[in-house]
Amino acid sequence: MKKILVTGCNGQLGRAINQVYAKESALSPSDANAVTLINTDVSNLDITSIDDVLRLITQEKPDVIINCAAHTNVNKCESDWDNAYKINAIGPRNLAIAAKKTGAKLVHVSTDYVFDGEGDRPYTEFDATSPCGAYGKTKLAGEQFVKEFGEKYFIIRTAWLYGDGNNFVKTMLKLGNERGEVSVVSDQYGTPTSALELARMIHVLEPTENYGVFHGTCEGSCSWAEFATEIFKEAGMDVKVNYITTAEYPTPAKRPAYSVLDNYMLRLTTDYAMADWKDAFREYMQSGLAFK
């Protein structure tokens, strides 16, 4: 029986991980394919405390640690550097130290924000990183700590994640319902990625020894405004989407203008491919999670 410890279990990805592993976690412990999920969140594991992390990991001795915990409020990170570094950098460091000590594999989830977004082609895992804000800088520090202190690790960069929780999709549906019209930036490009699709990728990678840095987004790309248009189309809502520029919608944190990720390592080392973003989004809408 394999034991998998999940941090940030109540977040969008944490919930998707539980969904993907549901069949294996329902098996009898005597079954060779059985999985026991050890779900943790900030209430029962402070990943910023090395003592807490070592105590729990040493006690539970998981075979795999999947780190879904992060300080993801991009704007707040700009005024909350200490907590951003604690959660996004020190937390992964602590998990990497504990994983190495106990022999566990570590799956660490990172972000497209490690790039500056000034390119004009999809970023591969071999491109130089250059984050432009607090969120990206602290997440990159987390990656570097995992590489420094870890041994058997998968670092997976994802982007524009949505799932069971608060996200852009739910915000658009709420605003569209209230106003009948929304204004969304049309000069920032990326790839909407289903948390379920990312969880499926993790499920494929974690049993292997195919370690390293991977990009994990759905295939294809669009602007935020194009994504909003697709949201209302799938929801069957008649909402006007005004395409505006980033300059017309200033935010405390600078957003990458072009942060499309190429799942290059996945293509080079596996036969696995993630779904097209529109297909994955259609599955999400049909699940009803967007309307919870």
Side-chain angles (χ1 to χ4, degrees), residues 13-250:
L13 181 56
R15 291 172 178 173
I17 290 290
N18 273 262
Q19 181 179 344
V20 167
Y21 282 91
K23 185 176 180 180
E24 290 145 301
S25 61
L27 295 173
S28 166
S30 61
D31 192 308
N33 296 315
V35 168
T36 293
L37 290 177
I38 305 164
N39 284 307
T40 71
D41 215 328
V42 66
S43 61
N44 60 343
L45 176 62
D46 178 6
I47 65 168
T48 70
S49 166
I50 184 64
D51 291 336
D52 286 359
V53 170
L54 283 171
R55 186 181 304 113
L56 184 64
I57 301 301
T58 303
Q59 173 187 318
E60 295 290 350
K61 293 183 174 59
D63 300 289
V64 182
I65 299 167
I66 302 178
N67 182 31
C68 304
H71 189 324
T72 57
N73 188 322
V74 177
N75 286 331
K76 190 174 181 181
C77 282
E78 293 297 324
S79 58
D80 193 24
W81 280 85
D82 287 359
N83 277 324
Y85 267 119
K86 283 181 180 179
I87 299 168
N88 293 340
I90 302 302
R93 182 205 68 163
N94 295 342
L95 292 169
I97 291 170
K100 185 175 181 179
K101 181 178 179 180
T102 59
K105 296 179 180 181
L106 174 62
V107 180
H108 173 61
V109 180
S110 192
T111 176
D112 58 318
Y113 275 65
V114 299
F115 298 108
D116 59 20
E118 295 180 5
D120 57 2
R121 62 167 179 78
Y123 290 97
T124 77
E125 296 85 347
F126 298 98
D127 287 320
T129 54
S130 180
C132 57
Y135 176 62
K137 288 178 181 179
T138 58
K139 289 293 286 184
L140 180 58
E143 288 189 13
Q144 292 166 338
F145 275 140
V146 169
K147 293 176 183 177
E148 181 179 356
F149 293 101
E151 189 172 58
K152 299 184 293 185
Y153 60 80
F154 307 89
I155 295 171
I156 303 176
R157 296 173 181 149
T158 194
W160 294 26
L161 203 66
Y162 62 85
D164 184 5
N166 294 325
N167 54 53
F168 180 76
V169 179
K170 289 190 176 182
T171 298
M172 287 297 101
L173 292 173
K174 180 175 181 294
L175 293 177
N177 187 56
E178 292 173 352
R179 305 174 184 177
E181 182 176 352
V182 296
S183 295
V184 186
V185 293
S186 60
D187 54 359
Q188 292 176 21
Y189 292 86
T191 304
T193 300
S194 156
L196 186 59
E197 269 297 296
L198 180 57
R200 287 167 176 157
M201 176 196 175
I202 291 171
H203 185 259
V204 168
L205 273 184
E206 65 82 3
T208 76
E209 295 182 350
N210 190 23
Y211 303 122
V213 179
F214 290 82
H215 288 171
T217 63
C218 288
E219 295 295 332
S221 64
C222 64
S223 70
W224 283 112
E226 289 170 332
F227 186 21
T229 300
E230 189 69 15
I231 290 169
F232 297 125
K233 175 185 173 183
E234 285 296 327
M237 295 172 62
D238 184 16
V239 177
K240 181 183 179 183
V241 179
N242 299 312
Y243 284 45
I244 63 173
T245 65
T246 298
E248 293 176 276
Y249 188 73

